[in-house]
Structure formats: C-alpha cells, structure tokens
Amino acid sequence: MEKHDMSKKKQDINKEESQLTVSLKSNALILRFGKDDGLLRSAMNIETNELYEMMETDFSIEGTGFEFHAHDMALCDSKSEANGVRFVYCNAFAKVEVYWRLMPHWHFAEKHVFIFFKKDCDLTKVAVSQLSIANESIAMVCYKYPQFDILDAVPLHQSWGLRREPDTEPIKTWFGRTTAGGFFTGLEMPFDRSAINGKTLTLAFTPNLKIRNGEPFTCEPMYIGVYRREAKDDQAEKWKPQLDVGTGADIDGFNGAAAAGLKGVAAPKADEPKESVLPLPSESHAMTAMTSEILGPPRHGFNATLCACHSEMVFFEQYTAQSIEEDVNGLKVAAECGLEWMYHVPDTLTINALREGDKYRIAPIIRRFILEARKAGFKMGLGLPLTNTHPWSTLGTIYRPDRPEWARKVEGDVMGGINADNFKQHFGNCMGCKEFNEWYQAFIRQAIEDGHYESVGFDGDFWGSGAYYHTTIPVTCLAENHAHLPGDSNYACQKALDELYAMIRKVKPDCWIGAARPNMDLGVWSLRNVDSCFTTIETGTAKSNIAGGNEIRTASRIRVNHHFFPHWLDQSFIFPCFSNYPKYRDDLSKRPLWPSDHIDYILLSALSCNPTIVMNLPVKSGFADDDKQEIRKWIDWARKNEKFLMVRKDLFAWPSDDAIDGSAHICENEGLVFLFNPSPKALTAEFCLSDEETGWTNKGKAMVYSEYPADDGSIMEYQANDKVTWEMKPESAVVLRIK
C-alpha cells in the first residue's frame, strides 16, 4: 500500500510539473522551463539518468544609467517551435527574445538572446543566464583555454623568454561533475566575464557598445550539454602531453595581462575554482562533438598548402622583378612535390596608397606571379594583415592613412617598427570603428570578386602588431567616435571580425577562409565560417623528422582534446622554417638543414592529424629529388583516402619517447589506423577493435593488413571488440587498413 502511495505521489508531482513547465527533449538531454517566467528549471542527463537542479534565477542587461533583470520584465509571449522554444519579454526600455534550441541528436542545447532597445543607449554588460546549482553531489570546475604550455617544450621557444600569464586564457567552460557523468556550460565567445559565487554561476559578457533605437543586438549564444563518464576518465592523469614543458616560473617574459590594464580596463581576476588543470576524456569528447556540430560540417576536403614566407619566398619586402622570378622558380619546386595551394602577400605600397573610391588593382609584377602559379597548378590565396598593412615590415602602416580617425586611439605617441614591444601603442586601425569596417569589407569583397583568388586568409591582431600567442589579450581604444565606448573595445573588434568572415562566406560560398591571428589564439569560438586555423607551433618542426612528427601529433592532440577544435579545422605544419627573415636572407648557412631521414614518419604524423597540411620547403636552396617524390607520393595517397582523413579518433596514449600512439579513421565498414613508434627499440602496438576505442561499429569479421610498409600480403582476421596487436620496428610509422 505504501509503495502504491509513493508511485501515485510521483505521478501527481510529474503531472503538476508538466502543468507548470515546458520541455525540450533530445536523445541525450531534457530541459524544463517555467511556463510563467521562461527560465530554466532543470536539465536531465538521459544517458546517466541524472537530474541536475539548476534553477535559472535571472538574466540581466546593464548600461549607462539603466539596469533591468528578468523579474523586471513581463513575459508577453511564449511558444514551442520545431526543436526549440521561444520566450518574449517586454518593458518600457526594450524587448528581449530568448530562443532555446535543441536538435533531436544533440547532447547540448543553445540559448540565443536578442535585444531590441526602444531608445539610444550605452550597453555595458549582459548576463545571458544566472544558474543556481542545487545538487550537492555536483563538483563545479572552471577550465580555461586555449593554453600554450607546449610551446615551452619547443627548443626555439625556450630561448625567447615568452609566456602567457596564468588565468588569462580567453575561454571558460564550466563542468559540473558527478560520479556518473555531468554537464558543461559556457558562452560561445572569447574573453567573457562569467564568474561563479558559491554555486551560483553567472554567464556574462561586456559589449561596451553604443546602441541605437531599434537596432537589434544579438548576444553570444550560451551552451549547456551533458556527458557520461568513460572508463578512461580514471586514467586522466596520463591523458596529456608527455613533454617536459616546465613551469616557466623563472622566465622573465612579456606580461600580456598587465599590458591590457589600460585606462578603464581591469586586469582579469582569478576568481574561479581550480580543481582541475585539464578536462577529463569524456568532457573533451563531449565538447569537441559539440563544436564540430556547431562549426561544421567541413566545406572542403584535403588541402596541401605551401607556406611561402617560411619557404624562402618574398614576405618582408616589396616584390622586385628579380624576386618574382626567383619565387616563380620556387613554385615549380613546390609543384613537383604535389602541393596545390599557396598564399601571397599583397602589394603593401599599393594598399598604403588607397584612398576613398580607389579600387585595389593587382600590380603587373604580382599578376605575373599569379599567372605563373596557376600554370604550375596552384590555387591562389590572398594573405591580408588585419589592422596594419604589414606589421612584420617597416612598410606597414594603418589602412587609409588619410582617415586617421579610423585608427585605434591610445595614450602617448604612436609607435611603428617590427613587432613593437610596447604594442599598446602600435599603429593600427580599430576594428571597432564602423566606417573602417565598411571600407575594409568593401576592399576585401572587391579583391575576391575579381576572380584571382580561391582563398583569403588573415593574420595580425586587433592592436596593429605582428602579434604572438602571449599578446592576444583584450584590446582597448580610447576613441569616442567609434561604435564602442571609450576604453574596452574588445567585443566590438571580435564582432567585426566575425562579420568579416560571414560576409566572405556569403559573397563567395566556396572560398577557403584561413585564419591565423588573432583567431588561432582566441580559441574555437572565434572560428565560425572558417575552414582552417593556423598551426600551434608556427616556427616549424624540429631538426629530426621523428621529433618533428611527435611535435605535430602532440600539438594536434592539444588542439582537439584540450582546446576542443574539430580536427579538420586544425593544420599540421611540416618541416623546419626556411624563412626569408632578414637575418637569413643574405646568409643561407643560417637556415636549418633539410631533414631527409624518416620523411615518411613526419608526413604520416601530419596526415593522421588533419586533412589540411602546410609545408615549409627550401624552394630556392633546394633538396633531393627523391625527397620531393616521397612527399608527392603521400600527398597523392592522402587525396585518394580523403574521406578517412576527415574523421579521427585518437588512441588513448599520447606521443612519448618510449610508447606507441596513433589514431583511427573509420568510415562505415572500412578505415585506417595510423601507428607511431618513436622509440629506438621495437615495440608492440595494441588497440581494441571497438566503437569506444577506434570507432569500429561493425559486428562481423574485420580484415586487417599493413598498407604501409607493404608486407608479404598477409591479412589478419578479427572479430568486433577483439584486441589487435602489431609489431613495430624502432622509429617507424605504420598504416593499417581495416575492412
């Protein structure tokens, strides 16, 4: 009788709740919202059967002279839509639309907030959501990324003395951990102002914008998702780089956070919990699956690009008739290797001279280079600096110097030069200036519509400097005539860059958009509409191809598993840097030697990571024809196996000096497994032919054989969930084919 009463009571509670709430449901997640206020009441993790009581208590909007909250507004409309629910709030100052979206196959939902102001105002802060987490069993963890500790382990960086201050990473994801699984949440943006107080989490950001009457303002989306713990979570301490990166405590490097402390901008505060240094494997897999869904699918396939400026070609100076001829000859060398894409730097002096109404005309000397590149089979990309016409050269200045009011306004004298140390005062345009952005977008649109380029890429930063990973910090501008309020212009600049990429995608949908700085340091949420993001270790690989291959795989693991990049957005950077740096230009002996041994190892390392590779080649000083043919062989192989390279599942072990690592690339009933043994001794590889470890879901027999190196043709037969073992020679790479 008592059991019957309890069951009836539970049914009554569920009935009452259904009358008071509205729900969204997918295969993995159930969200419930109050019918009377539209605020989130709870999240249900279907995979673990856990209910997370996370009462959404508020959203709020602040500006100069005003502040209002969810409870200050009337819920004037609500309706359920296909895969979503919409709530509309009103008051005398603004209308706010909240749209929650949850697709049937998603393990996460997005909250979109649209604000329509009824009068002019200065918007300073928006709290998209305030969550009060009631479950005592939930441990809250704040993970900040992207981190760049790996660069401390690269020999070239060790002598530079560069570092990024702790707790200045631009993105925060909050994990609520339980013993069975958990949830994750955050804002889809860099440099937000989210914080936690006890178990009340506020997801907020600071637009610092001037808003006009009737002008809609779209907030950065909030995400909330769920995950289930994996068996590998118990080994999470091993699931990280095995390199001795050190602490950097004795390095007196550039303090990017302190540089951001300009007028009106407070330095970031470390007020979040520090229970975890890295995410658990289950959390990484859930996050990367989400970012892949939001940013994908990929628009292109395999891509092999020549990095011209790191391959002895013109970068730092103006083109001359002689240098163009030398670069044309260099193109022929790269074409022999099978590369098909390249970027060139535009004519800086021509761009410097542009004025109102001028069109960018490609100089005849550069037009010849483009025509010769096309004859050699290359697709061309235009590489553009962001807010300075060439910040790596003394040629650089602001775009449109006849419009100095478009420049970023700073205190003190404006400085030029190459990568000025005091980059607070470097000479650059402000992307928070509406008039500059309109001109810059028109300039780029005209350049890509002329038909000379299949791709466009950007580099530089919001400050106007050449930038590096430790200098990507919140930007400031004191101008009073820009779209932002004086001081913090960071959000305005980020939005302008997002809009630039969206414009290119709309004008030329098939354009390959490549992002370098600032996106490569701002993190995954700055990569909407982008097709590739420049590599983490941009100074080239080690002298040894074994060490270089290990660096490539380690850096890519960090990008995917710690920075949550879809693997197809990352790039592998192959071979040392054969740059046209001024110190190398006149003395080729200062350039690194060409690494000929184990080329297969470094090329397969790159192909195992992502379908986009960038290559440094000594196209002027030359290298062996056999090596060119080896490169071409693997590029041709990659094109034939493109569909497998578009998917990736890492085996658990990370690259190290004394263990085997690898990755699986399975499409339906066929796939590849890459294995790497960097050790000087023979080792045995082991992996499970299962969905969890390799992505193999077929329940029948599996035929496994070595595609490279080719053996005697023997084929091993396995059943699903069998353990596969493979003997590997010292310092070797193996490609297994599974059918």
Side-chain angles (χ1 to χ4, degrees), residues 673-686:
V673 173
F674 292 82
L675 298 171
F676 300 94
N677 177 18
S679 171
K681 59 184 179 181
L683 295 174
T684 302
E686 285 188 357

Side-chain angles (χ1 to χ4, degrees), residues 592-641:
L593 297 175
W594 169 254
S596 192
D597 292 339
H598 299 292
I599 283 184
D600 61 336
Y601 187 96
I602 194 170
L603 289 170
L604 288 172
S605 292
L607 295 178
S608 75
C609 290
N610 21 67
T612 304
I613 62 173
V614 184
M615 200 169 292
N616 300 327
L617 297 173
V619 296
K620 295 183 181 179
S621 51
F623 57 108
D625 288 342
D626 287 348
D627 293 343
K628 297 174 189 174
Q629 293 308 308
E630 181 77 1
I631 294 170
R632 186 179 194 100
K633 176 186 78 175
W634 285 113
I635 289 179
D636 290 344
W637 179 88
R639 292 192 181 105
K640 293 176 183 177
N641 290 277

Side-chain angles (χ1 to χ4, degrees), residues 416-628:
I418 301 175
N419 284 324
D421 290 334
N422 188 358
F423 77 116
K424 290 184 299 184
Q425 298 180 9
H426 203 95
F427 207 30
N429 297 98
C430 176
M431 292 199 74
C433 174
K434 181 180 179 182
E435 291 77 11
F436 167 68
N437 283 313
E438 289 174 347
W439 177 87
Y440 191 59
Q441 286 197 22
F443 157 57
I444 293 167
R445 180 170 183 161
Q446 179 242 318
I448 61 178
E449 285 183 334
D450 279 351
H452 294 287
Y453 303 105
E454 290 84 7
S455 176
V456 61
F458 297 91
D459 200 359
D461 67 359
F462 296 137
W463 296 83
S465 78
Y468 211 58
Y469 74 97
H470 61 299
T471 66
T472 299
I473 58 176
V475 70
T476 56
C477 173
L478 302 177
E480 297 184 359
N481 62 321
H482 294 177
H484 59 81
L485 298 172
D488 178 7
S489 60
N490 195 60
Y491 183 81
C493 292
Q494 288 184 42
K495 290 295 286 185
L497 188 55
D498 285 346
E499 291 166 2
L500 172 64
Y501 290 140
M503 179 277 294
I504 297 170
R505 181 64 60 215
K506 182 177 180 180
V507 170
K508 191 175 176 64
D510 61 343
C511 181
W512 185 291
I513 301 178
R517 292 210 155 78
N519 304 79
M520 59 189 281
D521 303 324
L522 287 174
V524 67
W525 295 123
S526 68
L527 298 176
R528 286 181 176 83
N529 289 304
V530 168
D531 296 299
S532 61
C533 183
F534 198 49
T535 181
T536 301
I537 306 178
E538 62 189 281
T539 48
T541 51
K543 296 177 182 178
S544 154
N545 283 330
I546 297 293
N550 295 347
E551 287 178 0
I552 288 171
R553 300 195 311 282
T554 301
S556 187
R557 288 268 188 130
I558 291 171
R559 270 254 167 108
V560 171
N561 297 313
H562 295 169
H563 300 171
F564 311 135
F565 275 43
H567 82 287
W568 44 267
L569 267 177
D570 191 19
Q571 288 182 321
S572 292
F573 208 35
I574 313 176
F575 301 127
C577 173
F578 305 97
S579 178
N580 195 30
Y581 289 144
K583 65 179 180 180
Y584 294 154
R585 195 163 48 230
D586 301 323
D587 187 356
L588 295 180
S589 66
K590 292 182 179 179
R591 286 195 176 94
L593 297 175
W594 169 254
S596 192
D597 292 339
H598 299 292
I599 283 184
D600 61 336
Y601 187 96
I602 194 170
L603 289 170
L604 288 172
S605 292
L607 295 178
S608 75
C609 290
N610 21 67
T612 304
I613 62 173
V614 184
M615 200 169 292
N616 300 327
L617 297 173
V619 296
K620 295 183 181 179
S621 51
F623 57 108
D625 288 342
D626 287 348
D627 293 343
K628 297 174 189 174

Side-chain angles (χ1 to χ4, degrees), residues 315-319 345-356 358-363 366 383-404 406 417 426-429 436 439-440 443 464:
F315 179 73
F316 293 97
E317 63 278 343
Q318 278 289 100
Y319 291 101
V345 179
D347 181 1
T348 304
L349 295 183
T350 298
I351 292 178
N352 289 351
L354 290 175
R355 297 295 182 265
E356 193 68 33
D358 291 344
K359 288 189 175 182
Y360 173 60
R361 306 291 186 187
I362 299 176
I366 296 179
L384 281 168
L386 203 56
T387 58
N388 184 295
T389 61
H390 203 326
W392 304 275
S393 167
T394 53
L395 300 172
T397 183
I398 60 169
Y399 291 89
R400 293 292 306 278
D402 62 316
R403 299 297 300 269
W406 294 359
H426 203 95
F427 207 30
N429 297 98
F436 167 68
W439 177 87
Y440 191 59
F443 157 57

Side-chain angles (χ1 to χ4, degrees), residues 635-676:
I635 289 179
D636 290 344
W637 179 88
R639 292 192 181 105
K640 293 176 183 177
N641 290 277
E642 176 183 272
K643 71 174 184 178
F644 301 114
L645 303 184
M646 300 305 295
V647 297
R648 167 179 150 192
K649 195 156 191 174
D650 295 326
L651 304 184
F652 186 76
W654 282 57
S656 67
D657 292 336
D658 57 359
I660 290 173
D661 69 277
S663 57
H665 308 256
I666 307 296
C667 293
E668 298 176 350
N669 296 323
E670 187 179 2
L672 303 170
V673 173
F674 292 82
L675 298 171
F676 300 94

Side-chain angles (χ1 to χ4, degrees), residues 152 163 246-252:
D152 292 339
R163 62 186 169 92
T247 63
D250 56 348
I251 298 176
D252 185 19

